[in-house]
Amino acid sequence: MELPLPLLTLACLFCFATGALDRVGAKPSALFVFGDSYADTGNHNPYIPVLNRPWKLPYGSTWPGEGTGRYSDGKVFTDYFAAFLGLSTPMTYRKVQSTKAYEETMNGINFAYGGSGMFRTFGPLIPKISSQIEQFKDLIQSGFLSKELISSSFVLLVVCGNDYTAYGEQHENDEGIMDFVPNVTSEVDGTLKALYELGVRKFGVTNMAPYGCYPKVTSKNNYNSCDHTQHGRTVLHNKLLTQHILDLKKLFSDLEIMILDLQRAFEVVLHGEFAQDDYINEECNFRKSMSLRPCCDGKCGEKDYLGRHLYTICNSTKEFLFWDNVHPTQAGWEAISKVLFGPSPC
Ligand SMILES: *[C@@H]1O[C@H](CO)[C@@H](O)[C@H](O)[C@H]1NC(C)=O
Ligand SMILES: *[C@@H]1O[C@H](CO)[C@@H](O)[C@H](O)[C@H]1NC(C)=O
């Protein structure tokens, strides 16, 4: 079927299967990551009680068997994205801070910090994403990161909605939240421009997962179905983000940027269904849908004063997309990554 041209351009923003890597060019020399808990691989301080939940079991119970600072029972999106680029997971900024010089074995730096957003989210201990960009900028200005390294690197920006959660905590019934969406997406746009100014030319940017499918929402109907009335912010956020990115591509001709369509990937994994002409084919084995129930149900990782767990753990994490209220399991991220990157020709 021939697509009308504008639709084709738009579609290709999203076709991020293996062939897309050819358009990205050679293997990038490093991966720099900014964002929130979907991307954080251990930047929270393990010794500060309000921040160290992902450093303790049951977080990390599937892999590697102890907490790693990741909000999952194992790996998170950064691990899969790095592997897709042919790199090992980049070193966390927390660890890089105690090193003297950049080394190739770091594979880049992960600045992403669980709870972070474009605006202030959950208190002063959580840096905004603009602070992560400042940290990156300081490392460039001090000469720790060379201009050549930056220009041959890839940036992953993961902004999955902490701004909206924080907004919801301050406004009853999320009143006015739809008017707040353009504020968030224009900050994302500003961040991409700032990174471009710093010399980055290759980007992957996630859009937002379907909010109404998060266990924190579906718990209200015993995890039976996604609440489609809650999808508004996701749909608008993703529409505005796509528009910003199309505009950026017009503005900067040497910019290579892809949207990592988490909305669609979550939907495919949850519903186990896909249309014939989609870029998912029958080989991809997503006909069996994953549960809406979180594997770690309740206050995951928390105990009462007698040391009793305030949560239950499922028997088989492989069948669960969600680990806790909002974060995917390792199996979930693996399925999502298969939708986004293959195995070819998915
Ligand atoms: C969103 O941006 C508009 C225009 O700049 C501003 O008036 C409004 O206060 C912002 N909303 C929030 C919640 O920050
Ligand atoms: C896990 O499996 C055991 C034994 O097969 C069963 O009794 C238990 O109810 C299961 N737990 C959950 C949460 O499914």
Side-chain angles (χ1 to χ4, degrees):
M1 191 186 86
E2 272 186 51
L3 290 171
L5 201 57
L7 226 182
L8 189 68
T9 323
L10 189 65
C12 269
L13 257 185
F14 292 100
C15 35
F16 202 63
T18 2
L21 198 56
D22 302 336
R23 291 203 311 275
V24 176
K27 175 176 148 181
S29 47
L31 172 63
F32 295 96
V33 186
F34 305 92
D36 53 34
S37 56
Y38 276 14
D40 187 351
T41 51
N43 275 317
H44 277 203
N45 189 322
Y47 308 107
I48 296 183
V50 293
L51 294 175
N52 69 2
R53 191 164 54 118
W55 283 100
K56 295 185 298 189
L57 290 169
Y59 288 85
S61 52
T62 299
W63 176 89
E66 60 185 3
T68 63
R70 286 168 173 81
Y71 280 87
S72 166
D73 62 320
K75 296 179 181 179
V76 294
F77 189 59
T78 298
D79 300 298
Y80 289 99
F81 190 75
F84 166 66
L85 293 179
L87 296 168
S88 296
T89 300
M91 190 180 270
T92 56
Y93 178 65
R94 196 177 59 82
K95 282 195 174 163
V96 165
Q97 279 171 292
S98 57
T99 64
K100 287 195 186 68
Y102 182 81
E103 283 167 32
E104 208 178 307
T105 52
M106 292 177 185
N107 293 293
I109 303 173
N110 185 357
F111 297 87
Y113 198 96
S116 191
M118 303 317 303
F119 297 99
R120 272 257 164 266
T121 52
F122 312 116
L125 288 176
I126 312 282
K128 295 197 290 183
I129 285 170
S130 57
S131 310
Q132 298 173 23
I133 308 294
E134 284 302 313
Q135 293 163 347
F136 180 56
K137 194 172 168 183
D138 288 347
L139 292 180
I140 296 172
Q141 284 174 348
S142 72
F144 187 91
L145 299 172
S146 70
K147 290 249 179 322
E148 298 73 52
L149 179 72
I150 302 305
S151 63
S152 60
S153 290
F154 210 100
V155 155
L156 171 64
L157 177 62
V158 177
V159 182
C160 289
N162 286 317
D163 292 295
Y164 304 120
T165 307
Y167 183 97
E169 286 177 0
Q170 288 149 22
H171 298 80
E172 207 169 328
N173 299 323
D174 289 340
E175 196 177 331
I177 199 159
M178 294 301 275
D179 295 332
F180 178 55
V181 174
N183 300 36
V184 176
T185 52
S186 69
E187 287 292 315
V188 175
D189 180 53
T191 298
L192 292 169
K193 285 180 177 140
L195 287 164
Y196 182 90
E197 292 302 320
L198 291 172
V200 179
R201 290 296 177 269
K202 293 172 185 176
F203 293 88
V205 184
T206 61
N207 65 11
M208 249 177 88
Y211 185 81
C213 298
Y214 283 135
K216 65 176 181 179
V217 175
T218 60
S219 63
K220 295 179 188 88
N221 65 32
N222 193 28
Y223 309 114
N224 270 321
S225 59
C226 296
D227 181 347
H228 291 277
T229 66
Q230 298 282 332
H231 278 343
R233 74 190 69 173
T234 301
V235 172
L236 182 59
H237 178 104
N238 294 351
K239 183 175 158 229
L240 295 176
L241 181 70
T242 302
Q243 195 52 57
H244 279 304
I245 286 174
L246 288 171
D247 291 346
L248 281 172
K249 282 172 83 114
K250 273 186 220 141
L251 199 58
F252 306 119
S253 58
D254 59 346
L255 178 69
E256 296 176 47
I257 189 163
M258 286 123 177
I259 296 177
L260 299 157
D261 192 353
L262 289 188
Q263 181 186 353
R264 193 179 138 60
F266 272 68
E267 283 167 357
V268 169
V269 170
L270 282 171
H271 304 319
E273 60 190 41
F274 41 87
Q276 206 100 72
D277 58 352
D278 279 333
Y279 51 88
I280 308 298
N281 80 4
E282 286 179 8
E283 307 295 308
C284 296
N285 206 16
F286 288 117
R287 271 159 292 178
K288 189 170 178 298
S289 58
M290 288 175 115
S291 171
L292 281 174
R293 192 173 284 279
C295 174
C296 186
D297 199 357
K299 294 183 173 168
C300 189
E302 293 185 28
K303 291 174 185 166
D304 69 10
Y305 65 97
L306 290 173
R308 288 174 301 205
H309 293 173
L310 296 173
Y311 57 92
T312 57
I313 301 263
C314 67
N315 281 333
S316 170
T317 89
K318 271 191 159 39
E319 286 160 26
F320 290 77
L321 167 59
F322 290 106
W323 167 244
D324 62 14
N325 267 342
V326 287
H327 303 105
T329 55
Q330 171 170 296
W333 280 126
E334 199 176 318
I336 286 162
S337 301
K338 267 189 198 153
V339 175
L340 293 173
F341 317 133
S344 181
C346 290

